[in-house]
Amino acid sequence: MIDKFRAKFVEESTDNVHDLEEALFLLEKDMDNKELIERIFRAMHSLKGGGAMFGFNHLSEFTHHLETIFDWVRTNKLKVTTDLITLTFSAIDQIKFLLKTGDLSAAEDLNAQQNFIQRLQAFLSGEGSTGPSGAAASQTAAAPEESDEKTYLISFIPQKELLQNGTNPLYLLDDIHALGQALTLAYTHKVPSLDLIDAEANYCLWQILVSTAESINEIKDVFIFVEDECELHIDQVAGRNILQDKEVLEKTEKAVKNSTLLTVEDFKLENQAPVAGPAPQTEEKKKAAIKEHKISSIRVSSHKIDELVTLVSELVTLQAQLSLYAENTQDATMLSMSENVQKLSRQLRENAFDISLIPLQSELMRFQRLVRDLSKDQGKDIDFVIEGGDLELDKNIIENLTDPLLHILRNSIDHGIEVPEDRIKAGKAPKGNILFKAFYSGANVIIEISDDGKGIDAELIRQKAIAKGLIESDAALTEKEVLDLIFVSGFSTREVVSDVSGRGVGMDVVKRKLANIRGEVSIESEKGKGTLISITLPMTLSIIDGLLVGVGENQYVIPISAIDKLYALQPEQLKQSFNQVVVIDNEQYPYIDLRKVFKVSDAEDREQLQMIMVKAEDRLTGLLVDAVIGEYQTVVKPLGRYLKKQEILSGASIMGDGTIALVIDTTRLLQKQKNRK
Amino acid sequence: MLTEIKNQFYNDTLETLISIQEALSETPPEGEEERNMVERVFTVSHQISGTGPMLGFDNSALLSRKLERTFYEIRSGKRTLTAQLLTQTQRTIQNLLEVLQKEQGE
C-alpha cells in the first residue's frame, strides 16, 4: 500500500523538481523576482514534507537545509547570486539522485551527502559562497565515490542455438546498459550470406565495455540463464570510467572495423593512467541514474484530450457511414476493409475514453477535508469512510459532480449527524458515521452517501411543503414521494439558516446539476436511523449504446441501459387495451405511444408494432414504436440552445447516411407522462 | 490417457508460472516472502525438469533446468537473490511460458 504512494510521491516529486529547475532557470535571468523565489521555496517545502512522510528521510533532511537557504533569500537575509544558483542546481541533481535511490545506504554516498550538506551550511554562514572551500568540499564529496566505479570488458559469444529457447540477447544488453555507462560493440562478421542463413540461428557476438559501481557478480547474474549457450568472459580493464577516453574509443572503433575482438591486454595502458577529474564522474553516475528514471505517466492538458475524444467521435460517425456504404455495394474487399476499420475505431474509441477517465480519488481529498473541518466546527464527531475511491469516471462528469457531492455531504453533517450528547440519548454510539461508497452497476456508476444520523422526518417535510404551497393539504403521497419533495425548488427544512447548508438553494440545485450530466439522484431515509442518498451516473457522456427505432418517418435512439425487453405486438392487441395499459405475458403494463409523443399522424395503419419495455423507478413501462431497426453505438451531440428547453430528448446523433436521430431520455419521458396523469 | 495427463500438467504449470510472473512484477519480495518466492520458482522448475521430458516438453525442461539449478543455489544459500537475478528470472519464465506453449501446440 505504502509502496503505491511512494511511487506516486516519486512521480509527483519529479514534476516538482522539474518545476524547481525551470524556476531556477528563470531566476538566473531575473535575480530579484520574488515570485520565483516563492515558487522555489514552495517546491522545496513540499519535497521536504513529502519526503519525510514517505520514508525518504535523507531527501527530507537534505532539502531542509536547502529550504533554509531559500527561506533566508525570501526574507532578504541572503542575496541571490550566480554561486547560489549553481549550488542549487547541483543540489537538484542530488535531489534527483535521492528520489531515484531512496535512502542512502552505501557509506560513500552518505559521505557525499554529508559533505554537500556542509557546503550548504557553509553557504549560510557566508564563508563558502565561492572558491576553494566549496570546490574542496565537492572534491572530498566525490573522492570516495570515484574509486568504486570500474570498467569491465564483457565478451559475450553466444552459440548458434541461443535463440531457440526464446532468449533475446538484446534484452541482456539492455540490462548491462542499466548498470552504468556502457558501450556495446556488435560483431557481425560471422553472419553468412543470405542463402546460407539459418533463420533460427544466432550469428552475432558482442563485446560490451561497461563502467559501473556494481560488482562483477552483478554482471554475471545478467547472463546466468544463458551460461550454457555462450562463451562468456568478464574482465576488469580499468579502475575508473574510461569510456570517455579518446584512445579507448578509437580502439573500439578499430576492433569493430577489423572484426577482431578486444582483449584485456588492449587496455593495459589505461589501467595505469592517472586518475583525473573525479568530480565529473560522480556527476556522470548520477546523470546515468537519473536517465534511467522511466516515465510511467504523462500529464496532458485536458483540452487536448477533449479534442482527441471529439475526433474519435467524428471517426465513429464516419465509420458508420463507411459500413453502410460497404453493405450497399456488397463488395467483398470493401466489406472486409470496413469491418477492419470498424474494429480499429472501436479500439481507438475505447482507448480514448479510457484516457479521459480520471479516478474519483482526485476529488476525495476535498471531501475528507470538508468533513473534518465542518465536524470540528459543529462539535460533532464523525467517522468518514470512503469505499471505491479508485473508481474512474469521465473527466467532465467528475467536474460537475464535485459540487453536488459537497452539498450532499454538508447536508449530512449539518442536518444528519447529531452532536455526541444527542446521539447518546438516542442510544447510538457518540461517533457518527458517514459512508461514501462508489461502485459500478452495469453501464452506470452508483455513488451512495449514507449517514447514521437522525434521518428525515417525512411528516415535517409534508407540512412544510403544504405551508409553502408546494402540495395540496390533502394530497395523498407515499413516503418516497414526500421525501422527493426536498428536490423541489425552494425547499429548506432547517429553521435556523446556517452558513453551511439551508440557504433555500439546496437539493434542487443538486438534482439539476446532476441532471446536466445525466445523473439521477434518489433519497431514502428513516427517522432516527439515518439517510441514504444514491446517485446514478453514466460512465461517459458522449457515447451511448442505443437501440435505433423508427417512429413514423423518423429514427430515434433509446439508451440500451434503460431497456429491459422487446415485444412484437399485433395491432389487435392494442385495440383491446384500455387506459394505456396493455397485457403482455399475462402481465399488465402501462405504455406510451411514441407516435403521440412525437405527434406523428395515425392515418396509416400500422401492421406490426414493437413494444420496448423500459425500466424506471423499479417499474416497467412500454414504449410503442413502429419498428426496431437495430443496435447502434452512437455519439451523442448536444442539441444546441434552441432545443435546450425540451425535456424528453437528451441529444442527437448523426447516422451513417447523414440523417439525424434524436436520443430519447427515457427517465424524463416517463416522469413527464406520469405528471400529466 | 497420456494426453490427459499432459494437458493437466500443461495447464497447472502454466497457471503456476503465470502467478509467479505476476508476483515477480510486483515489488521485490523481502524476508519470508523472498523465501516463499524462491521455493515456488524452485518447485515449479524442478517439476518441469523432472516431468517435462516424459510428456514431450523437452525444450521447456532444458530451459527450466537453468532456473532449477540457480534457485537450488539460492535455496541452499550459495547465491543471493539480487534484483538483477529477479529481472533475469522474469525473462526466463517468460521464455519458458512461450516454449511451453509452443510445445503444447498452442
Side-chain angles (χ1 to χ4, degrees):
Chain A
M1 188 63 178
I2 200 86
D3 281 327
K4 207 168 99 195
F5 287 123
R6 262 181 83 118
K8 191 117 199 162
F9 168 73
V10 171
E11 200 178 295
E12 261 170 29
S13 299
T14 315
D15 279 353
N16 242 331
V17 170
H18 182 80
D19 192 45
L20 193 62
E21 260 178 324
E22 196 182 81
L24 210 52
F25 273 119
L26 292 172
L27 187 69
E28 201 165 20
K29 290 191 196 110
D30 181 7
M31 291 201 183
D32 296 319
N33 191 327
K34 277 261 170 271
E35 213 172 287
L36 286 172
I37 295 171
E38 275 304 321
R39 195 166 134 198
I40 293 170
F41 179 75
R42 268 201 311 271
M44 283 172 178
H45 191 70
S46 43
L47 277 171
K48 172 182 136 179
M53 202 153 98
F54 295 105
F56 290 82
N57 296 319
H58 288 147
L59 173 76
S60 177
E61 185 198 350
F62 182 76
T63 330
H64 169 73
H65 293 285
L66 210 55
E67 188 194 348
T68 315
I69 292 186
F70 275 83
D71 192 31
W72 281 31
V73 173
R74 210 164 62 125
T75 49
N76 292 326
K77 280 192 225 164
L78 202 68
K79 263 199 95 54
V80 180
T81 58
T82 320
D83 284 325
L84 175 67
I85 288 176
T86 316
L87 180 70
T88 315
F89 268 126
S90 49
I92 288 177
D93 287 343
Q94 178 76 9
I95 290 177
K96 285 184 188 165
F97 180 66
L98 287 167
L99 270 176
K100 171 89 183 49
T101 42
D103 274 0
L104 305 169
S105 47
E108 54 267 40
D109 283 345
L110 283 170
N111 229 332
Q113 160 109 344
Q114 214 44 53
N115 278 320
F116 210 137
I117 290 175
Q118 272 166 22
R119 248 172 96 193
L120 294 177
Q121 283 167 336
F123 205 92
L124 280 180
S125 51
E127 54 188 50
S129 52
T130 47
S133 77
S138 102
Q139 262 185 15
T140 42
E145 251 185 348
E146 49 84 24
S147 64
D148 63 14
E149 193 152 352
K150 297 180 180 107
T151 304
Y152 297 92
L153 174 69
I154 305 164
S155 306
F156 174 42
I157 307 164
Q159 295 162 9
K160 277 189 181 177
E161 295 78 33
L162 178 76
L163 304 176
Q164 269 169 13
N165 284 334
T167 307
N168 185 344
L170 299 183
Y171 283 151
L172 302 174
L173 299 181
D174 273 351
D175 288 336
I176 293 290
H177 276 258
L179 294 175
Q181 205 190 354
L183 181 68
T184 303
L185 315 174
Y187 297 92
T188 51
H189 56 276
K190 286 199 179 158
V191 180
S193 67
L194 196 58
D195 48 336
L196 294 175
I197 274 189
D198 172 2
E200 290 189 355
N202 170 62
Y203 298 100
C204 293
L205 40 128
W206 291 271
Q207 280 195 311
I208 310 129
L209 270 174
V210 58
S211 164
T212 174
E214 304 289 352
S215 68
I216 193 161
N217 281 331
E218 183 80 8
I219 300 174
K220 277 185 183 155
D221 276 355
V222 172
F223 297 97
I224 187 152
F225 294 122
V226 292
E227 273 172 0
D228 305 340
E229 281 101 19
C230 72
E231 197 184 313
L232 185 71
H233 306 282
I234 304 172
D235 302 292
Q236 186 186 329
V237 290
R240 60 183 185 90
N241 184 347
I242 55 167
L243 289 178
Q244 301 299 331
D245 295 12
K246 218 169 141 208
E247 215 174 318
V248 173
L249 293 177
E250 274 168 18
K251 256 183 206 154
T252 55
E253 235 170 75
K254 220 166 102 190
V256 175
K257 221 191 229 160
N258 302 339
S259 302
T260 42
L261 272 60
L262 291 168
T263 57
V264 186
E265 278 71 39
D266 288 334
F267 296 94
K268 272 281 149 64
L269 274 175
E270 270 72 46
N271 244 341
Q272 289 140 22
V275 178
Q281 280 162 36
T282 33
E283 294 301 305
E284 209 68 56
K285 182 183 165 190
K286 260 178 221 166
K287 268 187 202 141
I290 292 159
K291 222 190 288 170
E292 268 174 60
H293 172 75
K294 293 206 180 71
I295 299 170
S296 57
S297 73
I298 56 165
R299 247 176 235 202
V300 183
S301 83
S302 52
H303 142 94
K304 276 188 193 166
I305 289 179
D306 285 345
E307 207 170 85
L308 175 71
V309 172
T310 317
L311 283 176
V312 171
S313 304
E314 298 283 331
L315 186 70
V316 170
T317 311
L318 190 67
Q319 175 262 312
Q321 274 182 43
L322 183 69
S323 353
L324 193 76
Y325 175 76
E327 238 163 79
N328 285 338
T329 58
Q330 282 301 332
D331 177 342
T333 331
M334 191 71 202
L335 276 171
S336 84
M337 264 161 72
S338 120
E339 211 164 275
N340 282 336
V341 172
Q342 184 171 7
K343 213 157 61 190
L344 272 179
S345 59
R346 178 171 298 161
Q347 276 172 8
L348 183 64
R349 194 197 64 217
E350 268 159 26
N351 234 315
F353 282 100
D354 198 35
I355 289 172
S356 65
L357 296 183
I358 51 175
L360 202 54
Q361 204 99 47
S362 54
E363 296 294 328
L364 290 179
M365 199 54 85
R366 282 174 67 184
F367 300 161
Q368 267 165 328
R369 216 21 229 282
L370 176 91
V371 174
R372 193 192 150 272
D373 292 356
L374 265 188
S375 56
K376 276 244 164 75
D377 279 357
Q378 305 195 352
K380 291 174 180 175
D381 199 0
I382 296 174
D383 200 6
F384 183 47
V385 179
I386 294 174
E387 280 177 21
D390 49 357
L391 199 110
E392 289 185 324
L393 274 171
D394 190 287
K395 177 176 72 68
N396 296 319
I397 295 182
I398 290 206
E399 273 167 10
N400 283 299
L401 189 61
T402 318
D403 279 352
L405 284 180
L406 285 174
H407 199 96
I408 292 171
L409 275 176
R410 269 194 219 115
N411 269 336
S412 280
I413 302 163
D414 205 26
H415 302 310
I417 304 282
E418 314 91 327
V419 288
E421 300 89 79
D422 290 354
R423 287 184 66 89
I424 293 168
K425 261 186 237 161
K428 299 181 195 175
K431 199 168 192 173
N433 289 299
I434 295 181
L435 174 67
F436 181 102
K437 193 168 152 193
F439 54 95
Y440 291 109
S441 163
N444 290 318
V445 167
I446 296 180
I447 296 176
E448 288 183 353
I449 297 171
S450 55
D451 64 60
D452 64 347
K454 59 176 175 252
I456 297 174
D457 188 342
E459 191 47 37
L460 207 69
I461 301 231
R462 189 189 156 82
Q463 275 163 21
K464 185 104 175 193
I466 294 169
K468 292 209 168 185
L470 293 172
I471 53 168
E472 298 292 326
S473 56
D474 56 352
L477 297 175
T478 63
E479 190 164 348
K480 193 164 168 43
E481 282 168 323
V482 173
L483 287 178
D484 280 343
L485 282 172
I486 65 163
F487 294 118
V488 176
S489 177
F491 199 95
S492 175
T493 57
R494 194 79 190 250
E495 277 85 21
V496 188
V497 174
S498 74
D499 62 340
V500 182
S501 54
R503 275 159 297 191
V505 284
M507 297 300 278
D508 58 317
V509 179
V510 168
K511 193 182 171 82
R512 214 170 42 235
K513 282 208 164 163
L514 288 174
N516 285 344
I517 47 172
R518 297 218 306 271
E520 297 287 330
V521 57
S522 72
I523 185 164
E524 280 168 46
S525 184
E526 199 175 332
K527 195 182 166 192
K529 291 260 174 72
T531 307
L532 167 80
I533 292 183
S534 82
I535 300 170
T536 311
L537 294 162
M539 247 159 22
T540 170
L541 289 176
S542 39
I543 284 214
I544 58 166
D545 268 319
L547 187 75
L548 196 62
V549 301
V551 180
E553 286 175 350
N554 293 323
Q555 294 180 343
Y556 296 90
V557 176
I558 299 174
I560 288 222
S561 54
I563 298 175
D564 190 72
K565 247 181 196 171
L566 304 181
Y567 289 105
L569 287 188
Q570 297 307 319
E572 294 80 60
Q573 275 175 282
L574 271 191
K575 281 185 187 137
Q576 296 160 6
S577 75
F578 170 70
N579 198 14
Q580 300 282 75
V581 171
V582 70
V583 179
I584 302 171
D585 291 349
N586 296 325
E587 289 268 352
Q588 290 190 330
Y589 298 106
Y591 74 90
I592 301 167
D593 188 349
L594 286 187
R595 281 203 165 206
K596 292 215 174 84
V597 174
F598 296 117
K599 302 199 172 68
V600 179
S601 73
D602 240 340
E604 57 196 291
D605 248 352
R606 294 183 270 190
E607 285 171 10
Q608 176 80 48
L609 292 163
Q610 300 277 352
M611 182 71 85
I612 298 164
M613 308 305 291
V614 293
K615 203 170 186 173
E617 292 172 1
D618 305 321
R619 261 198 344 201
L620 287 177
T621 305
L623 296 180
L624 192 64
V625 300
D626 295 357
V628 169
I629 298 163
E631 208 182 321
Y632 190 69
Q633 216 151 39
T634 165
V635 184
V636 181
K637 302 260 178 192
L639 285 173
R641 60 196 169 104
Y642 291 114
L643 290 173
K644 214 159 204 171
K645 267 204 228 136
Q646 61 69 38
E647 281 175 345
I648 53 175
L649 300 175
S650 55
S653 160
I654 302 168
M655 308 302 296
D657 58 2
T659 56
I660 288 172
L662 295 167
V663 181
I664 299 175
D665 186 332
T666 50
T667 321
R668 285 204 229 169
L669 174 69
L670 299 188
Q671 232 153 37
K672 205 181 158 197
Q673 215 64 18
K674 200 169 97 189
N675 292 346
R676 197 188 291 167
K677 271 182 226 160
Chain B
M1 181 62 181
L2 193 64
T3 337
E4 220 169 274
I5 297 174
K6 191 178 167 185
N7 286 344
Q8 180 75 31
F9 171 80
Y10 171 73
N11 288 332
D12 287 353
T13 312
L14 212 62
E15 203 179 303
T16 317
L17 285 176
I18 289 172
S19 84
I20 290 177
Q21 194 73 318
E22 275 166 9
L24 281 175
S25 60
E26 283 160 18
T27 41
E30 275 169 30
E32 184 67 26
E33 248 179 78
E34 182 185 309
R35 270 195 296 283
N36 278 339
M37 176 64 75
V38 170
E39 205 54 38
R40 275 170 77 187
V41 177
F42 175 74
T43 314
V44 72
S45 55
H46 183 68
Q47 263 165 16
I48 301 172
S49 321
T51 320
M54 207 163 74
L55 297 171
F57 295 104
D58 292 301
N59 287 330
S60 309
L62 223 62
L63 200 56
S64 84
R65 255 181 223 133
K66 300 180 187 180
L67 276 175
E68 183 190 0
R69 194 179 54 207
T70 308
F71 277 81
Y72 178 77
E73 285 173 18
I74 297 172
R75 208 162 154 252
S76 47
K78 281 184 206 147
R79 190 187 275 282
T80 46
L81 186 63
T82 58
Q84 183 64 257
L85 256 181
L86 275 174
T87 313
Q88 299 304 334
T89 305
Q90 236 173 316
R91 293 244 161 91
T92 307
I93 291 183
Q94 189 58 44
N95 288 344
L96 191 53
L97 277 167
E98 278 161 26
V99 174
L100 259 176
Q101 278 162 341
K102 211 158 103 193
E103 285 183 316
Q104 171 76 358
E106 280 198 0

